[in-house]
């Protein structure tokens, strides 16, 4: 058995994938010690990944929200041209007869905000949910190209 890498006095085999000695990265941090483990388990949903791309016609946001129903998601445009995507994944009901071996899927609330550029048509925002992917489309104002008038040169 190898000594623990962080010198906490415990002995563990860090290379054994079946070792019951689990390293807690928050152990020893007094500021995080008061955070319950259930709150730490929600970090994945709190850090929902969202892609934002700009096309010539629109700004398109795509969020992976597996297992979340469209009724559990809100898409809003707040004052100051801020797009807010929020929601909550409920924790699965626990039966007293169930024996959980591992809980890796996250639950809890998430909120993401994006400041939209001046060319966004905030009154025409559309959202759709398909196969666990939320797509929010924000159309853009058509850029007015400067009018160029050719001038004949005399002489």
């Amino acid at each position: 058995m190898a000594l623990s890498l962080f010198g906490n006095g415990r002995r563990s085999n860090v290379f054994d994938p079946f070792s019951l000695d689990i390293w807690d990265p928050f152990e020893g941090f007094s500021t995080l010690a008061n955070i319950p483990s259930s709150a730490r388990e929600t970090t994945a949903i709190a850090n929902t990944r969202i892609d934002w791309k700009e096309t010539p016609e629109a700004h398109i946001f795509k969020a992976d929200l597996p297992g979340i129903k469209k009724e559990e998601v809100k898409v809003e445009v707040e004052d100051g041209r801020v797009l807010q995507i929020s929601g909550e994944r409920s924790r699965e009901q626990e039966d007293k007869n169930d024996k959980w071996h591992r809980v890796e899927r996250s639950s809890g609330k998430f909120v993401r905000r994006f400041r939209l550029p001046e060319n966004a048509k905030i009154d025409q925002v559309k959202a759709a949910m398909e196969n666990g992917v939320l797509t929010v489309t924000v159309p853009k104002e058509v850029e007015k190209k400067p009018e160029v008038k050719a001038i004949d040169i005399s002489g």
Side-chain angles (χ1 to χ4, degrees), residues 24 33-42 91:
D24 182 1
N34 296 329
I35 299 173
S37 62
S38 61
R40 283 183 253 146
E41 290 171 3
T42 63
R91 187 169 271 228

Side-chain angles (χ1 to χ4, degrees), residues 56-58 118-121 124 139-146:
E57 298 80 29
E118 292 294 321
N119 66 352
K121 293 182 179 180
Q124 296 179 19
K140 293 172 30 179
E141 298 283 345
V142 178
E143 258 186 59
K144 293 182 179 179
K145 295 183 179 179

